[in-house]
Amino acid sequence: MLIAGNWKMNTDRREAVSLVDDLKRLVGEEEDVQIAVCPPFVHLGELQPLLDGTSIALGAQNMHFEDEGAFTGEISASMLREVGCVFVILGHSERRQSFNETYVEINAKVKQALSYGLKPIVCVGEALAQRKAGQAEEIVRTQASCALEGVTLTSAADLVLAYEPIWAIGTGETATPEQAQSIHATLRQWLIDSFPEVGHSLQILYGGSMKPQNAADLLAQPDINGGLVGGASLKADDFAAIVEAGRRFV
Ligand code: PGA
């Protein structure tokens, strides 16, 4: 069970430090549920020493697929490693939609992250029109296979998949546990077929308006192995309550 917070483009320095202080107090010694926070890049270096020795891992929200060079505004895998990142979110739908990120680029990023020992949290998920047209399963399978094309996984801890239906992100509308489980089961089967050694045990997170009120019902589903939490990760009490909900299903 992994509960990861995606802070997106939120928090100033003072808020970031105070959120981490609160999280340390509430879940800093958690033993059963894995926890990660993914703050904006500029806070990573300052938060790393605060999280050192706690059970909260650090992650980033994006990275570039090249080692270094003339890529103005971009951040490399080695930079993320150096500031203590363990995870990196890749292919979030906000990046696909607002920054035209493609699955070819996401695939290159996944390979780059793995080669630097970062754990990618690879996001897939359909738009509302695609769901209404009955294409959700096909879309997420295609997205997953493009993102992970040519990828070799040696351990189930190498990579995390996240199902984030676009229509449920930041909208307050959550997929029902049954809707989510049905897509997670599709992804599970795809993982088993594609990575027979580790596919059974790779984590698949659900993301999209997860909050304390709905977390337990979602996390109770057999193929939902955690959450990628946006809005509710900015409130320490809510994030801790989601971790608490996850603990019941470890
Ligand atoms: P949300 O965001 O929880 O605010 O819907 C989830 C995400 O985009 O990762």
Side-chain angles (χ1 to χ4, degrees), residues 101-194:
E101 208 169 278
T102 67
Y103 274 99
V104 172
E105 288 164 332
I106 296 163
N107 179 243
K109 292 182 180 198
V110 169
K111 289 175 178 164
Q112 180 77 348
L114 289 171
S115 75
Y116 277 86
L118 285 163
K119 281 189 204 193
I121 301 177
V122 181
C123 303
V124 299
E126 82 286 0
L128 187 57
Q130 293 167 325
R131 170 159 287 269
K132 285 190 172 154
Q135 297 167 342
E137 299 199 350
E138 188 191 324
I139 292 282
V140 297
R141 246 195 319 258
T142 305
Q143 291 173 334
S145 60
C146 292
L148 303 189
E149 195 186 314
V151 165
T152 312
L153 299 176
T154 52
S155 141
D158 282 353
L159 177 139
V160 178
L161 201 56
Y163 169 57
E164 298 208 312
I166 294 172
W167 47 273
I169 295 178
T171 57
E173 186 164 344
T174 322
T176 64
E178 295 72 27
Q179 281 174 323
Q181 166 57 26
S182 147
I183 298 288
H184 279 239
T186 299
L187 289 169
R188 173 68 63 209
Q189 191 55 52
W190 180 83
L191 284 172
I192 293 169
D193 294 343
S194 311

Coordinates of all heavy atoms in Angstrom, one line a residue, residues 101-194:
E101 N 2.6 16.7 -23.5 CA 3.5 15.5 -23.3 C 2.9 14.3 -24.0 O 1.7 14.0 -23.8 CB 3.7 15.3 -21.8 CG 5.0 14.7 -21.5 CD 5.2 14.8 -20.0 OE1 5.6 15.8 -19.5 OE2 5.0 13.8 -19.3
T102 N 3.8 13.6 -24.7 CA 3.3 12.4 -25.4 C 3.8 11.1 -24.7 O 4.7 11.2 -23.9 CB 3.8 12.3 -26.9 OG1 5.2 12.1 -26.8 CG2 3.5 13.6 -27.6
Y103 N 3.2 10.0 -25.1 CA 3.6 8.7 -24.5 C 5.0 8.3 -25.0 O 5.6 7.5 -24.4 CB 2.5 7.6 -24.6 CG 1.6 7.7 -23.5 CD1 0.3 8.4 -23.6 CD2 1.9 7.3 -22.2 CE1 -0.5 8.5 -22.5 CE2 1.0 7.4 -21.1 CZ -0.2 8.0 -21.3 OH -1.0 8.1 -20.2
V104 N 5.4 8.8 -26.1 CA 6.8 8.5 -26.6 C 7.7 9.2 -25.6 O 8.7 8.6 -25.2 CB 7.0 9.1 -28.0 CG1 8.4 9.0 -28.5 CG2 6.1 8.3 -29.0
E105 N 7.4 10.5 -25.3 CA 8.3 11.1 -24.3 C 8.2 10.5 -22.9 O 9.2 10.3 -22.2 CB 7.9 12.6 -24.1 CG 8.3 13.4 -25.4 CD 7.5 14.8 -25.4 OE1 6.4 14.9 -24.8 OE2 8.1 15.7 -26.0
I106 N 7.0 10.1 -22.5 CA 6.8 9.5 -21.2 C 7.6 8.2 -21.2 O 8.3 7.9 -20.2 CB 5.3 9.2 -21.0 CG1 4.6 10.6 -20.9 CG2 5.1 8.4 -19.7 CD1 3.1 10.5 -21.0
N107 N 7.6 7.4 -22.3 CA 8.4 6.2 -22.3 C 9.9 6.4 -22.1 O 10.5 5.7 -21.4 CB 8.1 5.5 -23.7 CG 8.9 4.2 -23.9 OD1 9.7 4.1 -24.8 ND2 8.6 3.2 -23.0
A108 N 10.4 7.5 -22.8 CA 11.8 7.8 -22.6 C 12.1 8.3 -21.2 O 13.1 7.9 -20.6 CB 12.1 9.0 -23.6
K109 N 11.1 9.0 -20.6 CA 11.3 9.4 -19.2 C 11.3 8.2 -18.2 O 12.1 8.1 -17.3 CB 10.2 10.4 -18.8 CG 10.3 11.7 -19.5 CD 9.2 12.6 -19.0 CE 9.3 14.0 -19.8 NZ 8.5 15.0 -19.1
V110 N 10.4 7.2 -18.5 CA 10.3 6.0 -17.6 C 11.7 5.3 -17.7 O 12.2 4.9 -16.6 CB 9.2 5.1 -18.1 CG1 9.3 3.8 -17.4 CG2 7.8 5.8 -17.8
K111 N 12.2 5.1 -18.9 CA 13.5 4.4 -19.0 C 14.6 5.2 -18.3 O 15.5 4.6 -17.7 CB 13.8 4.2 -20.5 CG 12.9 3.2 -21.2 CD 13.2 3.1 -22.6 CE 12.3 2.0 -23.3 NZ 12.2 2.2 -24.7
Q112 N 14.6 6.5 -18.5 CA 15.6 7.3 -17.9 C 15.5 7.2 -16.3 O 16.5 7.0 -15.6 CB 15.5 8.8 -18.3 CG 16.5 9.7 -17.8 CD 17.9 9.6 -18.4 OE1 18.1 8.7 -19.2 NE2 18.7 10.6 -18.2
A113 N 14.3 7.3 -15.8 CA 14.1 7.3 -14.4 C 14.7 5.9 -13.8 O 15.4 5.9 -12.8 CB 12.7 7.5 -14.0
L114 N 14.3 4.9 -14.5 CA 14.7 3.5 -14.0 C 16.2 3.4 -14.1 O 16.8 2.8 -13.1 CB 14.1 2.4 -14.9 CG 12.5 2.2 -14.7 CD1 12.0 1.3 -15.8 CD2 12.2 1.7 -13.3
S115 N 16.8 4.0 -15.1 CA 18.3 3.8 -15.2 C 19.0 4.6 -14.1 O 20.1 4.3 -13.8 CB 18.8 4.1 -16.6 OG 18.8 5.5 -16.8
Y116 N 18.3 5.6 -13.5 CA 18.9 6.3 -12.4 C 18.4 5.9 -11.0 O 18.6 6.5 -10.0 CB 18.6 7.8 -12.6 CG 19.6 8.5 -13.5 CD1 19.4 8.5 -14.9 CD2 20.8 9.1 -13.0 CE1 20.4 9.0 -15.7 CE2 21.7 9.6 -13.9 CZ 21.5 9.6 -15.2 OH 22.4 10.2 -16.1
G117 N 17.7 4.8 -11.0 CA 17.2 4.2 -9.8 C 16.1 5.0 -9.1 O 15.8 4.9 -7.9
L118 N 15.4 5.8 -10.0 CA 14.2 6.5 -9.5 C 13.0 5.6 -9.8 O 12.9 4.9 -10.8 CB 14.0 7.8 -10.2 CG 14.9 9.0 -9.8 CD1 14.8 10.1 -10.9 CD2 14.5 9.6 -8.5
K119 N 12.0 5.6 -8.9 CA 10.8 4.9 -9.1 C 9.7 5.7 -9.8 O 9.2 6.6 -9.2 CB 10.1 4.4 -7.8 CG 10.8 3.3 -7.2 CD 9.9 2.8 -6.0 CE 10.7 2.1 -5.0 NZ 9.9 1.4 -4.0
P120 N 9.4 5.4 -11.1 CA 8.4 6.2 -11.8 C 7.0 5.8 -11.2 O 6.7 4.7 -11.0 CB 8.5 5.8 -13.2 CG 9.7 4.9 -13.3 CD 10.0 4.4 -12.0
I121 N 6.2 6.9 -11.1 CA 4.7 6.6 -10.8 C 4.1 7.0 -12.2 O 4.0 8.2 -12.5 CB 4.2 7.5 -9.7 CG1 4.9 7.2 -8.4 CG2 2.7 7.3 -9.5 CD1 4.5 8.0 -7.2
V122 N 3.8 6.0 -13.0 CA 3.3 6.3 -14.3 C 1.8 6.4 -14.4 O 1.1 5.5 -14.0 CB 3.8 5.1 -15.3 CG1 3.3 5.4 -16.7 CG2 5.3 4.9 -15.2
C123 N 1.3 7.6 -14.9 CA -0.1 7.8 -14.8 C -0.8 7.5 -16.2 O -0.3 7.8 -17.2 CB -0.4 9.3 -14.6 SG 0.4 9.9 -13.0
V124 N -1.9 6.8 -16.1 CA -2.8 6.6 -17.2 C -4.2 7.0 -16.8 O -4.5 7.1 -15.6 CB -2.7 5.1 -17.7 CG1 -1.3 4.7 -18.1 CG2 -3.2 4.2 -16.6
G125 N -5.0 7.2 -17.8 CA -6.4 7.5 -17.5 C -7.2 8.1 -18.7 O -6.6 8.8 -19.4
E126 N -8.5 7.7 -18.7 CA -9.3 8.2 -19.9 C -10.0 9.5 -19.6 O -10.2 9.8 -18.5 CB -10.3 7.1 -20.3 CG -11.5 7.1 -19.4 CD -11.4 6.5 -18.0 OE1 -10.2 6.1 -17.6 OE2 -12.4 6.5 -17.3
A127 N -10.3 10.2 -20.7 CA -11.2 11.4 -20.6 C -12.6 10.9 -20.5 O -13.0 9.8 -20.8 CB -10.9 12.3 -21.8
L128 N -13.5 11.9 -20.1 CA -14.9 11.6 -20.0 C -15.5 11.1 -21.3 O -16.3 10.1 -21.3 CB -15.7 12.8 -19.5 CG -17.1 12.5 -19.1 CD1 -17.2 11.4 -18.0 CD2 -17.8 13.8 -18.5
A129 N -15.2 11.7 -22.4 CA -15.8 11.3 -23.7 C -15.4 9.9 -24.0 O -16.2 9.1 -24.6 CB -15.4 12.3 -24.8
Q130 N -14.1 9.5 -23.7 CA -13.7 8.2 -24.0 C -14.4 7.2 -23.1 O -14.8 6.1 -23.6 CB -12.2 8.1 -23.7 CG -11.4 9.0 -24.7 CD -9.9 9.1 -24.3 OE1 -9.6 9.3 -23.2 NE2 -9.0 9.2 -25.3
R131 N -14.7 7.5 -21.9 CA -15.4 6.6 -21.0 C -16.8 6.4 -21.5 O -17.3 5.3 -21.6 CB -15.4 7.1 -19.6 CG -16.4 6.4 -18.7 CD -16.1 6.5 -17.2 NE -15.0 5.8 -16.8 CZ -15.0 4.5 -16.3 NH1 -16.1 3.9 -16.2 NH2 -13.9 3.9 -16.0
K132 N -17.4 7.6 -21.9 CA -18.8 7.5 -22.4 C -18.9 6.7 -23.7 O -19.9 6.0 -24.0 CB -19.4 8.9 -22.7 CG -19.7 9.6 -21.4 CD -20.5 10.9 -21.6 CE -21.0 11.5 -20.3 NZ -21.2 12.9 -20.4
A133 N -17.8 6.7 -24.5 CA -17.8 5.9 -25.7 C -17.4 4.4 -25.4 O -17.2 3.6 -26.4 CB -16.9 6.5 -26.7
G134 N -17.3 4.0 -24.2 CA -16.9 2.7 -23.8 C -15.5 2.3 -24.1 O -15.2 1.1 -24.3
Q135 N -14.6 3.3 -24.2 CA -13.2 3.0 -24.6 C -12.2 3.0 -23.4 O -11.0 2.9 -23.7 CB -12.8 4.1 -25.6 CG -13.5 4.1 -26.9 CD -13.3 5.4 -27.7 OE1 -12.8 6.4 -27.2 NE2 -13.6 5.3 -29.0
A136 N -12.7 3.2 -22.2 CA -11.8 3.4 -21.1 C -10.7 2.3 -21.0 O -9.5 2.6 -20.9 CB -12.6 3.5 -19.8
E137 N -11.2 1.0 -21.1 CA -10.2 -0.1 -20.9 C -9.2 -0.1 -22.0 O -8.0 -0.3 -21.7 CB -11.0 -1.4 -20.9 CG -12.0 -1.5 -19.7 CD -12.4 -2.9 -19.4 OE1 -12.0 -3.8 -20.1 OE2 -13.1 -3.0 -18.4
E138 N -9.6 0.1 -23.2 CA -8.7 0.0 -24.3 C -7.7 1.2 -24.2 O -6.5 1.0 -24.4 CB -9.5 0.2 -25.6 CG -8.7 -0.1 -26.9 CD -9.6 0.4 -28.1 OE1 -10.8 0.1 -28.0 OE2 -9.0 0.9 -29.0
I139 N -8.2 2.4 -23.8 CA -7.3 3.6 -23.7 C -6.2 3.3 -22.7 O -5.1 3.6 -22.9 CB -8.2 4.8 -23.3 CG1 -9.1 5.2 -24.4 CG2 -7.3 6.0 -22.9 CD1 -8.4 6.0 -25.6
V140 N -6.6 2.9 -21.5 CA -5.6 2.7 -20.4 C -4.6 1.6 -20.8 O -3.4 1.7 -20.5 CB -6.2 2.5 -19.0 CG1 -7.0 3.7 -18.6 CG2 -7.0 1.2 -18.9
R141 N -5.1 0.6 -21.4 CA -4.1 -0.5 -21.9 C -3.2 0.0 -22.9 O -2.0 -0.2 -22.8 CB -4.9 -1.7 -22.5 CG -4.8 -2.9 -21.6 CD -5.3 -4.2 -22.4 NE -6.5 -3.9 -23.3 CZ -7.7 -4.3 -22.9 NH1 -7.9 -5.0 -21.9 NH2 -8.7 -4.0 -23.7
T142 N -3.7 0.8 -23.8 CA -2.8 1.4 -24.8 C -1.8 2.4 -24.2 O -0.6 2.4 -24.5 CB -3.6 2.1 -25.9 OG1 -4.6 1.2 -26.4 CG2 -2.7 2.7 -27.0
Q143 N -2.3 3.2 -23.3 CA -1.4 4.2 -22.6 C -0.3 3.4 -21.8 O 0.9 3.8 -21.9 CB -2.2 5.1 -21.7 CG -3.1 6.0 -22.4 CD -4.0 6.8 -21.4 OE1 -4.3 6.3 -20.3 NE2 -4.5 8.0 -21.8
A144 N -0.7 2.4 -21.1 CA 0.3 1.7 -20.3 C 1.3 1.0 -21.2 O 2.5 1.0 -21.0 CB -0.4 0.6 -19.4
S145 N 0.9 0.4 -22.3 CA 1.8 -0.3 -23.2 C 2.7 0.7 -23.9 O 3.9 0.4 -24.1 CB 1.2 -1.3 -24.1 OG 0.3 -0.6 -25.0
C146 N 2.3 1.9 -24.3 CA 3.2 2.9 -24.9 C 4.2 3.4 -23.8 O 5.4 3.5 -24.1 CB 2.4 4.1 -25.4 SG 1.3 3.7 -26.8
A147 N 3.7 3.7 -22.6 CA 4.6 4.2 -21.6 C 5.7 3.2 -21.2 O 6.8 3.6 -20.8 CB 3.8 4.6 -20.3
L148 N 5.3 1.9 -21.2 CA 6.3 0.9 -20.7 C 6.9 0.1 -21.8 O 7.5 -1.0 -21.6 CB 5.6 0.0 -19.7 CG 5.0 0.7 -18.5 CD1 4.5 -0.2 -17.4 CD2 6.0 1.7 -17.9
E149 N 6.8 0.5 -23.1 CA 7.3 -0.2 -24.2 C 8.9 -0.4 -24.0 O 9.6 0.6 -23.8 CB 7.0 0.5 -25.5 CG 7.3 -0.4 -26.7 CD 7.1 0.4 -28.0 OE1 6.1 1.2 -28.1 OE2 8.0 0.3 -28.9
G150 N 9.3 -1.6 -24.1 CA 10.7 -1.8 -24.1 C 11.3 -1.7 -22.7 O 12.6 -1.7 -22.5
V151 N 10.5 -1.6 -21.7 CA 11.0 -1.5 -20.3 C 11.2 -2.8 -19.7 O 10.3 -3.7 -19.9 CB 10.0 -0.6 -19.5 CG1 10.2 -0.8 -18.0 CG2 10.0 0.8 -19.9
T152 N 12.3 -3.0 -19.0 CA 12.5 -4.3 -18.2 C 12.4 -4.0 -16.8 O 13.0 -3.0 -16.3 CB 14.0 -4.8 -18.5 OG1 14.2 -4.7 -19.9 CG2 14.1 -6.2 -18.0
L153 N 11.6 -4.8 -16.1 CA 11.5 -4.6 -14.6 C 12.0 -5.8 -13.9 O 11.7 -7.0 -14.3 CB 10.0 -4.4 -14.3 CG 9.3 -3.2 -14.9 CD1 7.8 -3.2 -14.5 CD2 9.9 -1.9 -14.4
T154 N 12.9 -5.6 -13.0 CA 13.5 -6.7 -12.3 C 12.9 -7.0 -11.0 O 13.0 -8.1 -10.4 CB 15.0 -6.5 -12.1 OG1 15.2 -5.2 -11.5 CG2 15.8 -6.5 -13.4
S155 N 12.2 -6.0 -10.4 CA 11.5 -6.2 -9.1 C 10.2 -5.4 -9.2 O 10.1 -4.4 -9.9 CB 12.5 -5.6 -8.1 OG 11.8 -4.9 -7.1
A156 N 9.3 -5.9 -8.3 CA 8.0 -5.2 -8.3 C 8.1 -3.8 -7.7 O 7.1 -3.0 -7.7 CB 7.0 -6.1 -7.5
A157 N 9.2 -3.6 -7.0 CA 9.4 -2.2 -6.4 C 10.0 -1.2 -7.4 O 10.2 -0.1 -7.0 CB 10.3 -2.4 -5.2
D158 N 10.2 -1.6 -8.6 CA 10.9 -0.7 -9.6 C 10.0 0.4 -10.0 O 10.5 1.5 -10.4 CB 11.3 -1.5 -10.9 CG 12.5 -2.3 -10.7 OD1 13.2 -2.2 -9.6 OD2 12.9 -3.1 -11.6
L159 N 8.7 0.1 -10.1 CA 7.8 1.1 -10.8 C 6.4 1.0 -10.2 O 6.0 -0.1 -9.7 CB 7.8 0.7 -12.3 CG 6.9 1.4 -13.2 CD1 7.6 1.7 -14.5 CD2 5.6 0.7 -13.6
V160 N 5.6 2.1 -10.3 CA 4.3 2.1 -9.8 C 3.4 2.6 -10.9 O 3.8 3.6 -11.7 CB 4.2 3.1 -8.6 CG1 2.7 3.2 -8.1 CG2 5.1 2.6 -7.4
L161 N 2.2 2.0 -11.1 CA 1.3 2.5 -12.1 C 0.2 3.3 -11.4 O -0.2 2.9 -10.3 CB 0.7 1.3 -12.9 CG 0.1 1.5 -14.2 CD1 1.1 2.1 -15.2 CD2 -0.4 0.1 -14.8
A162 N -0.3 4.3 -12.0 CA -1.4 5.1 -11.3 C -2.6 5.2 -12.3 O -2.3 5.7 -13.4 CB -1.0 6.4 -10.8
Y163 N -3.8 4.8 -12.0 CA -4.9 5.0 -12.8 C -5.6 6.3 -12.3 O -6.1 6.4 -11.2 CB -5.9 3.8 -12.7 CG -7.3 4.1 -13.3 CD1 -7.3 4.6 -14.7 CD2 -8.4 4.1 -12.6 CE1 -8.6 4.9 -15.2 CE2 -9.7 4.4 -13.2 CZ -9.7 4.8 -14.5 OH -10.9 5.1 -15.1
E164 N -5.6 7.3 -13.2 CA -6.3 8.6 -12.8 C -7.2 9.0 -13.9 O -6.8 9.6 -14.9 CB -5.2 9.6 -12.7 CG -4.2 9.4 -11.6 CD -3.6 10.7 -11.0 OE1 -3.2 11.5 -11.8 OE2 -3.6 10.8 -9.8
P165 N -8.5 8.6 -13.8 CA -9.5 9.0 -14.8 C -9.5 10.6 -14.8 O -9.7 11.2 -13.8 CB -10.8 8.5 -14.3 CG -10.6 8.1 -12.8 CD -9.1 7.9 -12.7
I166 N -9.3 11.1 -16.0 CA -9.2 12.6 -16.1 C -10.4 13.3 -15.6 O -10.3 14.3 -14.9 CB -8.9 13.0 -17.6 CG1 -7.6 12.4 -18.0 CG2 -9.0 14.5 -17.8 CD1 -7.3 12.5 -19.5
W167 N -11.6 12.7 -15.8 CA -12.8 13.4 -15.3 C -13.0 13.4 -13.8 O -13.8 14.1 -13.3 CB -14.0 12.6 -15.9 CG -14.0 11.1 -15.9 CD1 -13.4 10.3 -16.8 CD2 -14.5 10.3 -14.8 NE1 -13.5 9.0 -16.3 CE2 -14.2 9.0 -15.1 CE3 -15.2 10.6 -13.6 CZ2 -14.5 7.9 -14.3 CZ3 -15.6 9.5 -12.8 CH2 -15.2 8.2 -13.2
A168 N -12.1 12.7 -13.1 CA -12.2 12.7 -11.6 C -11.1 13.5 -11.0 O -11.1 13.6 -9.7 CB -12.1 11.2 -11.1
I169 N -10.2 14.1 -11.8 CA -9.1 14.8 -11.2 C -9.5 16.2 -10.8 O -9.8 17.0 -11.7 CB -7.9 14.8 -12.1 CG1 -7.4 13.4 -12.3 CG2 -6.7 15.7 -11.6 CD1 -6.2 13.2 -13.2
G170 N -9.4 16.6 -9.6 CA -9.7 17.9 -9.1 C -11.1 18.4 -9.3 O -11.4 19.5 -9.2
T171 N -12.0 17.4 -9.6 CA -13.4 17.8 -9.9 C -14.3 17.5 -8.8 O -15.5 17.9 -8.8 CB -13.9 16.9 -11.1 OG1 -13.8 15.5 -10.8 CG2 -13.1 17.2 -12.4
G172 N -13.8 16.8 -7.8 CA -14.6 16.3 -6.7 C -15.4 15.1 -7.0 O -16.0 14.4 -6.2
E173 N -15.4 14.7 -8.3 CA -16.1 13.5 -8.7 C -15.1 12.3 -8.7 O -14.1 12.4 -9.4 CB -16.6 13.7 -10.1 CG -17.5 12.6 -10.6 CD -18.3 13.0 -11.8 OE1 -18.4 14.2 -12.1 OE2 -18.8 12.0 -12.5
T174 N -15.4 11.3 -7.9 CA -14.6 10.2 -7.8 C -15.1 9.0 -8.6 O -16.4 8.9 -8.7 CB -14.5 9.7 -6.4 OG1 -14.5 10.8 -5.5 CG2 -13.3 8.9 -6.1
A175 N -14.3 8.2 -9.2 CA -14.8 7.0 -9.8 C -15.3 6.1 -8.6 O -14.8 6.2 -7.5 CB -13.6 6.2 -10.4
T176 N -16.4 5.4 -8.9 CA -16.9 4.6 -7.8 C -15.9 3.4 -7.6 O -15.1 3.1 -8.5 CB -18.3 3.9 -8.2 OG1 -18.0 3.0 -9.3 CG2 -19.3 4.9 -8.6
P177 N -15.9 2.8 -6.4 CA -15.0 1.7 -6.2 C -15.1 0.7 -7.3 O -14.1 0.1 -7.7 CB -15.4 1.2 -4.8 CG -16.0 2.4 -4.1 CD -16.7 3.2 -5.2
E178 N -16.3 0.4 -7.7 CA -16.5 -0.6 -8.8 C -15.9 -0.2 -10.1 O -15.3 -1.0 -10.8 CB -18.0 -1.0 -8.9 CG -18.7 -1.6 -7.7 CD -18.9 -0.6 -6.6 OE1 -19.0 0.7 -6.8 OE2 -18.9 -1.0 -5.4
Q179 N -16.1 1.1 -10.5 CA -15.5 1.6 -11.7 C -14.0 1.5 -11.7 O -13.4 1.1 -12.6 CB -15.9 3.0 -11.9 CG -17.3 3.3 -12.5 CD -17.7 4.8 -12.5 OE1 -17.3 5.5 -11.6 NE2 -18.4 5.2 -13.5
A180 N -13.5 1.9 -10.5 CA -12.0 2.0 -10.4 C -11.5 0.5 -10.4 O -10.5 0.2 -11.2 CB -11.6 2.7 -9.1
Q181 N -12.1 -0.3 -9.6 CA -11.6 -1.7 -9.6 C -11.6 -2.4 -10.9 O -10.7 -3.1 -11.3 CB -12.4 -2.5 -8.5 CG -12.2 -4.1 -8.6 CD -10.8 -4.5 -8.5 OE1 -9.9 -3.8 -7.8 NE2 -10.5 -5.7 -9.0
S182 N -12.7 -2.1 -11.7 CA -12.8 -2.7 -13.0 C -11.6 -2.3 -13.9 O -11.0 -3.2 -14.6 CB -14.1 -2.4 -13.6 OG -14.1 -2.3 -15.0
I183 N -11.2 -1.1 -13.9 CA -10.0 -0.6 -14.7 C -8.7 -1.2 -14.1 O -7.8 -1.6 -14.8 CB -10.0 0.9 -14.8 CG1 -11.2 1.5 -15.5 CG2 -8.7 1.4 -15.5 CD1 -11.3 1.2 -17.0
H184 N -8.7 -1.2 -12.8 CA -7.5 -1.7 -12.1 C -7.3 -3.2 -12.5 O -6.1 -3.7 -12.6 CB -7.5 -1.5 -10.6 CG -7.1 -0.1 -10.2 ND1 -6.1 0.1 -9.3 CD2 -7.6 1.1 -10.5 CE1 -6.0 1.4 -9.1 NE2 -6.9 2.0 -9.8
A185 N -8.4 -3.9 -12.6 CA -8.3 -5.3 -12.9 C -7.8 -5.5 -14.3 O -6.9 -6.4 -14.6 CB -9.6 -6.0 -12.8
T186 N -8.2 -4.6 -15.2 CA -7.7 -4.6 -16.6 C -6.2 -4.3 -16.6 O -5.4 -5.0 -17.3 CB -8.4 -3.5 -17.4 OG1 -9.8 -3.7 -17.4 CG2 -7.9 -3.4 -18.8
L187 N -5.8 -3.3 -15.8 CA -4.4 -3.0 -15.8 C -3.6 -4.1 -15.1 O -2.4 -4.5 -15.6 CB -4.1 -1.7 -15.0 CG -4.6 -0.4 -15.7 CD1 -4.6 0.8 -14.8 CD2 -3.7 -0.2 -17.0
R188 N -4.1 -4.8 -14.1 CA -3.4 -5.9 -13.5 C -3.2 -7.0 -14.5 O -2.1 -7.5 -14.6 CB -4.3 -6.4 -12.3 CG -3.8 -7.7 -11.6 CD -2.5 -7.5 -10.9 NE -2.6 -6.6 -9.8 CZ -1.7 -5.8 -9.3 NH1 -0.4 -5.8 -9.8 NH2 -1.9 -4.9 -8.3
Q189 N -4.2 -7.3 -15.3 CA -4.1 -8.4 -16.2 C -3.0 -8.0 -17.3 O -2.2 -8.8 -17.6 CB -5.4 -8.7 -16.9 CG -5.4 -9.9 -17.8 CD -5.0 -11.2 -16.9 OE1 -5.5 -11.4 -15.9 NE2 -3.9 -11.9 -17.4
W190 N -3.0 -6.8 -17.7 CA -2.0 -6.3 -18.6 C -0.6 -6.4 -18.1 O 0.3 -6.8 -18.7 CB -2.3 -4.8 -19.1 CG -1.4 -4.4 -20.1 CD1 -1.4 -4.6 -21.4 CD2 -0.1 -3.7 -19.8 NE1 -0.2 -4.1 -22.0 CE2 0.5 -3.5 -21.0 CE3 0.4 -3.1 -18.6 CZ2 1.8 -2.8 -21.1 CZ3 1.6 -2.5 -18.7 CH2 2.3 -2.3 -19.9
L191 N -0.5 -6.0 -16.8 CA 0.8 -6.1 -16.1 C 1.3 -7.6 -16.1 O 2.5 -7.9 -16.3 CB 0.8 -5.5 -14.7 CG 0.7 -4.0 -14.6 CD1 0.5 -3.5 -13.2 CD2 2.1 -3.4 -15.1
I192 N 0.4 -8.5 -15.7 CA 0.8 -9.9 -15.6 C 1.2 -10.4 -17.0 O 2.2 -11.1 -17.1 CB -0.4 -10.7 -15.0 CG1 -0.7 -10.3 -13.6 CG2 -0.1 -12.2 -15.1 CD1 -1.9 -10.8 -13.0
D193 N 0.5 -10.0 -18.0 CA 0.8 -10.5 -19.4 C 2.1 -9.9 -19.8 O 2.9 -10.6 -20.5 CB -0.3 -10.1 -20.4 CG -1.6 -10.8 -20.1 OD1 -1.6 -11.8 -19.4 OD2 -2.6 -10.3 -20.6
S194 N 2.4 -8.7 -19.5 CA 3.6 -8.0 -20.0 C 4.8 -8.2 -19.1 O 5.9 -8.2 -19.6 CB 3.3 -6.5 -20.0 OG 2.1 -6.2 -20.7

